[in-house]
Amino acid sequence: MKTNRRIASLAVLAIAAAAALPAAAQTVTLKVHHFLPGTSNVHLNLIKPWCDKIAKESGDKLKCQIYPAMQLGGTPAQLFDQARDGVADIVWTIPTYSAGRFSKSEVFELPFFTRSGRGSSQAFWTYVNAHALDEYKGVKPLWLHTNDGSSFHLSAAKGVKTLDELKGLKIRAATRLNSRMLAALGATPVQMPLPAVPEAMAKGVIDGAMVPWEGVPAAKLQEIAKSHLDVPAGAPKFANSIFAFVMNQARYDALPAELKKVIDANAGAEASAWAGGTGFDSVVAANHKLATDRGNVVNALADAELTRWIKASESVDDEWVKEVTAKGANGKALLDAARALIQQFDR
């Protein structure tokens, strides 16, 4: 009997000791959700390496379970809310897929605004933290970044070189400001997420798509498109999209201090610059070559033609300023602040 009581006592002590272990001794698995396939550049070269890094630096106390291609359900436009509501612990998304909710942040999607992923991502992180954090309530931004800037990828073999040739074409847009720019240029915008582009273009629903070179392989645009259009070298890109890698705030707050430090060390301005540079800028040349190797035509606007396109789209900036001001912010001041940060980081 004494032996049995002793064993029982030891068992109770063992259970109590296990319960008393600090939370940091337990493995925390983070559910990470995004809308691109598991073969995509962002999955393989951004999200997975980031997850591997926090696992290593935490001694495997932090791990990710990554769910690509909306495997947890919902639509790309719902991803931000999934992070806020705890459906996922972390998401990577385009916030402006939820139209009208990130009006201050979307200044970085204005036409002819950014030049590179790395520089504009540093500017975007700095801008949001100074002027637009209220748009990210319920989540903790880890990185905020842009892409390498959108180019045109078109079905027509001869391509487009002038504003007149663009008029009337049905072109995919990623966000509402992309759509406004296309309309201002005389095209017909068709707004859709990237995964919908290949079928729409292959079936002739659209004549082309605005997509960064980074996204070309994921949408197989080197195969579907016959021609492509870039801005002149060194010029600001046609348009951009903003991206957010954000964590449920309550999930972050519940982490022990040592694991918060690991997350914090892999978040912020430098992480944002890494995302824009490594994830987007670094693959442009290789993806460009995918198109030229297939014999596709790659055009670039002449400088004088670029001036026409910029002038034709100026109304998009003005409309954005009016809308943001109507919501209670100082649209002109925000635009000036964003441009100043672009001058600082993206030149």
Side-chain angles (χ1 to χ4, degrees):
M1 288 294 290
K2 288 183 178 179
T3 300
N4 289 342
R5 283 197 297 270
R6 179 174 174 76
I7 291 172
S9 297
L10 288 173
V12 170
L13 288 172
I15 293 170
L21 284 173
Q26 302 172 17
T27 298
V28 175
T29 300
L30 301 171
K31 292 184 293 184
V32 181
H33 200 200
H34 68 88
F35 62 84
L36 291 178
T39 55
S40 64
N41 169 61
V42 166
H43 180 98
L44 296 174
N45 296 319
L46 282 185
I47 296 174
K48 190 175 184 301
W50 185 88
C51 286
D52 291 343
K53 192 167 185 284
I54 65 166
K56 181 179 180 180
E57 293 178 7
S58 67
D60 283 333
K61 294 171 186 173
L62 278 173
K63 292 189 176 182
C64 295
Q65 178 63 53
I66 307 174
Y67 297 90
M70 301 305 300
Q71 289 178 359
L72 291 180
T75 66
Q78 295 170 332
L79 278 166
F80 183 88
D81 288 343
Q82 289 184 357
R84 185 197 62 192
D85 299 338
V87 174
D89 298 310
I90 296 174
V91 304
W92 178 85
T93 189
I94 296 179
T96 48
Y97 276 170
S98 301
R101 289 178 55 186
F102 295 86
S103 54
K104 290 188 288 186
S105 296
E106 72 178 352
V107 64
F108 279 76
E109 294 182 347
L110 287 171
F112 303 104
F113 199 78
T114 66
R115 283 176 165 80
S116 72
R118 180 178 180 83
S120 59
S121 294
Q122 286 180 291
F124 181 46
W125 173 271
T126 305
Y127 169 87
V128 167
N129 279 270
H131 304 289
L133 268 182
D134 59 309
E135 294 182 339
Y136 299 83
K137 289 179 180 176
V139 302
K140 176 180 174 61
L142 302 179
W143 354 302
L144 301 170
H145 66 97
T146 69
N147 57 37
D148 50 286
S150 293
S151 297
F152 285 83
H153 310 277
L154 304 154
S155 299
K158 70 174 184 177
V160 164
K161 292 183 181 179
T162 69
L163 199 56
D164 297 327
E165 292 171 339
L166 183 71
K167 291 186 185 301
L169 295 184
K170 299 188 295 292
I171 305 294
R172 175 263 182 176
T175 67
R176 71 183 195 124
L177 289 192
N178 294 169
S179 293
R180 285 183 180 178
M181 183 198 76
L182 287 168
L185 296 175
T188 300
V190 182
Q191 196 167 320
M192 65 178 69
L194 183 60
V197 168
E199 183 177 2
M201 198 161 165
K203 290 184 175 180
V205 175
I206 55 176
D207 300 306
M210 290 192 70
V211 176
W213 278 101
E214 179 275 338
V216 163
K220 296 184 179 180
L221 288 174
Q222 77 276 16
E223 301 174 17
I224 300 169
K226 298 295 184 290
S227 62
H228 313 265
L229 180 65
D230 290 330
V231 295
K237 303 299 178 65
F238 291 112
N240 214 308
S241 295
I242 58 172
F243 299 84
F245 190 68
V246 299
M247 184 173 184
N248 175 270
Q249 186 68 56
R251 184 68 157 140
Y252 172 82
D253 292 341
L255 293 176
E258 68 177 274
L259 297 189
K260 286 180 181 175
K261 287 180 181 178
V262 174
I263 296 292
D264 293 346
N266 291 282
E270 274 306 309
S272 299
W274 164 77
T278 300
F280 291 84
D281 293 338
S282 67
V283 300
V284 170
N287 292 352
H288 197 280
K289 189 173 184 296
L290 290 176
T292 56
D293 283 352
R294 292 183 66 88
N296 293 3
V297 173
V298 181
N299 296 315
L301 288 181
D303 289 340
E305 190 65 26
L306 173 65
T307 300
R308 289 185 67 203
W309 290 51
I310 292 174
K311 185 172 180 58
S313 61
E314 285 176 348
S315 62
V316 181
D317 291 19
D318 297 336
E319 288 177 31
W320 180 85
V321 168
K322 289 177 183 177
E323 284 187 357
V324 173
T325 300
K327 291 183 177 181
N330 186 330
K332 179 63 166 59
L334 289 174
L335 179 57
D336 290 345
R339 282 180 172 154
L341 289 166
I342 285 292
Q343 289 285 345
Q344 180 181 349
F345 292 108
D346 194 34
R347 285 293 184 267

